[in-house]
């Protein structure tokens, strides 16, 4: 038997008290966490990725490179820019934060890493 979204919403609307609604909320949060984990499972060390449009600062958006190690919680990953993205960042007039020497071919973004949801895996050409 398939349950429709309207039926689910109607069921929630008829719950008798806040504790029952809280149980639904907790189950929803667990499911969202599992969905996020599944969606981000492919972002592992060694994969090529592109920094997507959700990251701030904006000057890093669209740059490509290689995913490095993820932190203990798995929420952030080190990121090593490829040669072209290193060149782009070095020359970007908005870049006042990252000093990249001319002889550096690949630049690792310093700090605690890029939030994993801000990385999109790209296929190798």
């Amino acid at each position: 038997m398939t349950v429709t979204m309207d039926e689910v919403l109607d069921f929630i609307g008829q719950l008798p008290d806040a504790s029952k609604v809280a149980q639904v909320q907790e189950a929803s949060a667990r499911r969202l966490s599992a969905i996020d984990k599944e969606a981000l499972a492919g972002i592992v060390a060694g994969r090529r990725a592109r920094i997507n449009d959700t990251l701030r600062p904006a000057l890093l958006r669209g740059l490509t490179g290689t995913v490095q190690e993820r932190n203990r919680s798995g929420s952030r990953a080190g990121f090593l820019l490829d040669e072209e993205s290193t060149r782009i960042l070095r020359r970007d007039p908005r870049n006042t934060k990252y000093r990249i020497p001319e002889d550096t071919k690949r630049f690792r973004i310093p700090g605690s890493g890029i939030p994993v949801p801000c990385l999109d895996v790209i296929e190798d050409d």
Side-chain angles (χ1 to χ4, degrees):
M1 174 174 118
T2 303
V3 178
T4 68
M5 183 55 69
D6 288 338
E7 290 171 326
V8 170
L9 296 174
D10 185 51
F11 172 79
I12 293 170
Q14 295 178 29
L15 291 173
D17 57 47
S19 69
K20 297 297 182 190
V21 174
Q23 287 178 333
V24 171
Q25 187 177 20
E26 289 169 7
S28 296
R30 283 192 303 273
R31 181 63 186 129
L32 284 170
S33 179
I35 289 168
D36 282 347
K37 188 173 182 178
E38 291 167 15
L40 303 174
I43 301 176
V44 296
R47 293 295 303 264
R48 286 181 28 85
R50 175 174 287 108
I51 299 172
N52 64 39
D53 290 340
T54 61
L55 184 73
R56 290 188 343 212
L59 77 136
L60 298 177
R61 294 175 184 168
L63 298 180
T64 56
T66 306
V67 177
Q68 304 296 290
E69 74 289 338
R70 286 175 68 166
N71 65 1
R72 287 201 296 182
S73 69
S75 63
R76 299 177 79 83
F79 198 69
L80 180 65
L81 296 177
D82 57 33
E83 289 186 36
E84 179 64 13
S85 289
T86 298
R87 185 189 63 73
I88 290 169
L89 183 58
R90 180 187 298 121
R91 305 260 186 271
D92 191 323
R94 300 172 296 170
N95 181 15
T96 59
K97 182 175 181 178
Y98 306 106
R99 295 289 166 232
I100 307 170
E102 284 296 325
D103 62 343
T104 300
K105 293 185 185 252
R106 300 192 74 194
F107 180 71
R108 182 182 168 113
I109 304 293
S112 60
I114 304 292
V116 173
C118 296
L119 296 172
D120 295 330
V121 171
I122 54 177
E123 298 303 319
D124 293 323
D125 300 332

